[in-house]
Amino acid sequence: MISSSAPQSRRCCARQPDSDLRPVFIAGLLAALALPVAASAAAWDLVATGLNNPRGLDFAPNGALYVAEAGTGGDGPAAEGPDGPVYFGLSGSITRIFKGKQGRVVEGLPSTAGEGGFGAIGPSDISFEPFGRARVTIGLGLNPAVRDSVFGPAGAKLGGLFQLSQNGKLKWLADLAAFEASANPDQGLPDSNPNGVLSTRAGGAYVADAGANTLLHVTANGAVSVVAVFPSRVVDTPPFLPQPPFPAQLIMQAVPTNVVRGPDGALYVSQLTGFPFPPGEARIYRVVPGSAPQVYAEGFTNIIDLEFDGAGNLYVLEIDANSLANPAVGGRLARINAADGSVETIADDGLIMPGGLSIGPDGAIYVTNFGTSPGGGQVVRIEP
């Protein structure tokens, strides 16, 4: 077990209906978006700008970088989300950055968002296989019954897994929201929010469903099975939450966010944690299919993504190292060193609600920054 050097404090989480990835304090977020990108100990380069709530990203075999943009919702039907009404639209997209040029290669994907395009859920992650095809997740963050009754046929792709071909066409692979509605592996309130995806050579994928608290496997023909269910925990209420109304201890959901394969062949799954996102309580689990998840690292706060480099070091991206329930907003890119398990911060100043990371062919770390910003999202290149 590896413990992060992140500050330890008393913390907690209250249960929300299968917490999704929306920020809960919009006022703090808006203030954060007004901040300039500050200097960091690591060297930074700006790679892309003008993105709509950018989240996961990955490199194609030819070196092109693809970014999932959650979109800005739209003027369509409204549903009640965890933090207020969300409005449906077809503003989700996938952007490609290649040879210095940036452009959207897939547009018109489903998206939901609050007023002004904030708190968007739509295209969440992308993962390439060696043959040039990619898997793409589109989130939901709601009870699947709401998707079907409120958004209708136009919203049917929410909560799904897709294959992106080399010619830019999306092919349906699996309805993960429907699987949650029928199977409900964690036996909580039905909620599906497919987030992180890892493509497999066999044409399928592993998917971290943040709403369902599960790691799923999808075969090339669309069959869905449960690899792991991540448990809720009882934790202490953090000092920045008033008591009352909050009790001294509350139930915190797992909220798995991403999945990668380690040098040992096992799967590693990051944890955001549920509301109210207690500092220091996020874990990374090591999963061997057929066995219960084991804690590999802990002491983080709100992990949104992770990836191993060629030397076996694990890079960990926190969307907020202070807690999404704390008005003080600040992301962090950390590294768990393979040699001794120590944890060091690679970059933090200027990381505002980062949404995903990918290690490039050049060995640099590419991060989506301002990942909850409609029209203000970026991709930055960070030298480790």
Side-chain angles (χ1 to χ4, degrees):
M1 182 181 297
I2 300 172
S3 295
S4 166
S5 59
Q8 302 294 306
S9 62
R10 300 198 48 94
R11 45 242 173 203
C12 106
C13 171
R15 180 180 177 87
Q16 275 189 330
D18 285 75
S19 176
D20 60 26
L21 303 180
R22 300 174 201 277
V24 291
F25 287 98
I26 296 299
L29 170 61
L30 292 174
L33 292 177
L35 296 173
V37 176
S40 173
W44 288 42
D45 293 308
L46 190 60
V47 174
T49 60
L51 302 174
N52 288 321
N53 295 298
R55 304 294 162 77
L57 67 171
D58 196 20
F59 282 89
N62 68 353
L65 179 59
Y66 286 72
V67 184
E69 295 181 78
T72 57
D75 299 324
E80 190 64 28
D83 305 306
V86 294
Y87 302 89
F88 177 81
L90 298 176
S91 55
S93 59
I94 298 172
T95 282
R96 180 178 61 197
I97 303 148
F98 190 47
K99 296 182 178 179
K101 296 182 179 180
Q102 171 187 336
R104 291 187 172 106
V105 293
V106 182
E107 297 183 283
L109 300 179
S111 169
T112 65
E115 293 286 349
F118 289 97
I121 289 183
S124 298
D125 197 16
I126 183 167
S127 172
F128 278 88
E129 62 177 36
F131 310 110
R133 298 173 300 182
R135 312 291 178 268
V136 175
T137 49
I138 297 182
L140 174 62
L142 297 168
N143 187 322
V146 174
R147 175 194 70 173
D148 299 336
S149 62
V150 175
F151 301 137
K157 291 181 179 178
L158 291 166
L161 175 67
F162 300 83
Q163 178 176 289
L164 176 65
S165 65
Q166 293 179 343
N167 63 5
K169 301 295 184 181
L170 280 183
K171 174 187 175 183
W172 178 270
L173 281 184
D175 189 340
L176 303 181
F179 180 82
E180 164 67 5
S182 62
N184 192 11
D186 75 344
Q187 298 301 300
L189 294 174
D191 188 309
S192 179
N193 193 15
N195 194 64
V197 59
L198 173 65
S199 291
T200 66
R201 288 179 176 270
Y206 292 97
V207 177
D209 191 323
N213 296 314
T214 56
L215 176 64
L216 304 174
H217 179 249
V218 182
T219 66
N221 63 5
V224 183
S225 60
V226 177
V227 179
V229 178
F230 300 94
S232 297
R233 288 182 277 150
V234 176
V235 290
D236 295 336
T237 300
F240 50 74
L241 289 178
Q243 299 180 40
F246 294 100
Q249 289 188 319
L250 293 164
I251 298 174
M252 177 191 75
Q253 293 193 66
V255 192
T257 49
N258 221 313
V259 53
V260 296
R261 192 175 295 279
D264 58 354
L267 301 170
Y268 290 77
V269 179
S270 57
Q271 179 186 30
L272 184 81
T273 74
F275 178 85
F277 317 109
E281 290 289 354
R283 295 172 170 175
I284 298 168
Y285 289 92
R286 181 179 182 270
V287 179
V288 175
S291 301
Q294 301 295 316
V295 177
Y296 172 74
E298 56 187 355
F300 296 92
T301 298
N302 298 134
I303 307 174
I304 193 66
D305 205 351
L306 72 171
E307 186 168 346
F308 284 94
D309 67 12
N313 304 304
L314 181 58
Y315 286 84
V316 181
L317 183 66
E318 293 175 278
I319 188 172
D320 197 331
N322 300 315
S323 167
L324 286 168
N326 189 330
V329 177
R332 181 173 80 130
L333 174 64
R335 179 172 60 208
I336 302 175
N337 294 305
D340 58 7
S342 62
V343 178
E344 59 180 315
T345 296
I346 303 301
D348 50 10
D349 289 347
L351 280 181
I352 306 299
M353 294 289 178
L357 74 86
S358 184
I359 299 177
D362 57 356
I365 314 300
Y366 291 76
V367 174
T368 51
N369 202 22
F370 295 96
T372 55
S373 172
Q378 305 171 340
V379 175
V380 296
R381 178 184 180 275
I382 302 174
E383 286 285 353

